[in-house]
Amino acid sequence: MAFKGVLADGDHVITTDLEHNSVSRPLRAMELAGRITLTRVPSGQDGVIDPDSIRRALTRKTRLIAQTHASNVLGTVQPSPTSV
């Protein structure tokens, strides 16, 4: 419900391959319905997302970045913005 309340048709969303299904599935459904474009940034072999990958994925239509801080699958914790 939150995604549908925040996102408008034509918006771009950036997410990662570490996201919980509660994030991934609704975003993918909105993409398949043609409502949004979606970029899924892959994690490295260490389970960490390269902040530059997120920056490179940004477009003029990016409305939301949905990224976990700690993976429930791998247990990795993303570095805080001050340590990047």
Side-chain angles (χ1 to χ4, degrees):
M1 291 178 74
F3 291 141
K4 289 181 180 180
V6 171
L7 299 171
D9 289 350
D11 283 344
H12 175 245
V13 177
I14 300 169
T15 190
T16 75
D17 63 357
L18 298 176
E19 303 315 309
H20 189 273
N21 274 335
S22 63
V23 172
S24 294
R25 292 179 72 159
L27 290 176
R28 180 68 175 139
M30 291 179 78
E31 178 187 33
L32 290 173
R35 298 226 22 235
I36 63 168
T37 57
L38 183 63
T39 301
R40 183 170 282 125
V41 175
S43 60
Q45 288 183 337
D46 57 358
V48 174
I49 301 295
D50 177 5
D52 287 329
S53 296
I54 300 287
R55 287 184 195 100
R56 286 190 299 271
L58 290 168
T59 73
R60 294 181 69 195
K61 292 192 172 203
T62 303
R63 171 104 171 136
L64 177 70
I65 300 171
Q67 178 185 357
T68 188
H69 177 63
S71 170
N72 69 315
V73 176
L74 301 177
T76 55
V77 176
Q78 302 304 311
S80 67
T82 56
S83 67
V84 176

